[in-house]
Amino acid sequence: EIRPYSPTELRIIGDYLIKQCIEEKIPRYRHYKDNHYRIHMFLSESGLKAGELWELKLDQINLEEQYILVVSQPRGSARREERIPLVGPLLEFVKKDFRGPQEVWVLDDGKGNRAYKARNQMSRAFRRILNKMGITARVKPLHAYRASVATRVTRSTDLKTAQKALRHKHSSTTSKYVGTGTDEDVRN
């Protein structure tokens, strides 16, 4: 079982990251803090995998039709494109997220390059952030966001809807992501 973040933890993480963005005065560091918040927003609201977010370019976000185009090509397989709905808090965030003219990637360094040279750098950064906040870091801190989405969607609708949101072939895979939180976490 992958332990999801509770709604309370997600709120605390989001508030902490916003505060870090506001308080950072050095532009280079501010850009990294902005990207930390982008990671949080995209992963907590979309069900994207961390690797999909790392590979996501700005031109794959269609605000007019409100979707994110995820392109993947597993080894030995044909190229696959999937449209992820862009709704709710993530849509509002993306509409307001100022991007520089040179930026190419969702997680950009401000100059058209990826902000993280490798996917595992994103995970290490979040492990450090969680440790600073006193939140118990998960084995895979970014993958826990998918479990959070699965749990939230399953509790508000059903397992089949969560399966579709996470793009799993089998509901048994999705059920491994659904956490069993306290009543307080369910309400928050």
Side-chain angles (χ1 to χ4, degrees), residues 76-88:
S77 299
R79 175 185 160 108
R80 194 171 83 189
E81 294 184 355
E82 297 176 279
R83 290 182 178 201
I84 310 300
L86 186 57
V87 296

Side-chain angles (χ1 to χ4, degrees), residues 31-32 35 103 105 107-115 117:
H31 211 77
Y32 280 106
N35 278 319
E103 294 187 55
W105 304 94
L107 303 175
D108 201 287
D109 68 357
K111 300 174 187 167
N113 304 305
R114 285 187 171 120
K117 302 305 175 207

Side-chain angles (χ1 to χ4, degrees), residues 126-165:
F126 259 79
R127 188 174 312 284
R128 284 191 300 271
I129 290 167
L130 294 172
N131 287 337
K132 282 182 188 176
M133 295 176 60
I135 293 176
T136 305
R138 285 24 178 200
V139 173
K140 295 180 175 182
L142 298 180
H143 205 63
Y145 277 103
R146 279 178 63 81
S148 302
V149 171
T151 302
R152 183 180 69 236
V153 172
T154 299
R155 288 182 177 159
S156 65
T157 58
D158 58 26
L159 186 63
K160 203 75 168 155
T161 304
Q163 175 187 351
K164 185 177 178 184

Side-chain angles (χ1 to χ4, degrees), residues 38-48 53 56-70 82-97 99 106 152 164-165 167:
R38 286 181 186 116
I39 290 169
H40 172 74
M41 285 303 296
F42 272 86
L43 296 185
S44 67
E45 296 295 332
S46 70
L48 286 173
L53 178 57
L56 192 63
K57 292 184 174 184
L58 291 171
D59 65 4
Q60 291 172 253
I61 298 174
N62 187 322
L63 278 175
E64 187 176 310
E65 295 184 36
Q66 299 181 354
Y67 69 84
I68 300 167
L69 183 65
V70 176
E82 297 176 279
R83 290 182 178 201
I84 310 300
L86 186 57
V87 296
L90 182 57
L91 175 62
E92 295 310 309
F93 169 74
V94 171
K95 284 179 179 178
K96 296 175 184 173
D97 189 26
R99 304 313 296 259
V106 169
R152 183 180 69 236
K164 185 177 178 184
R167 294 165 285 129

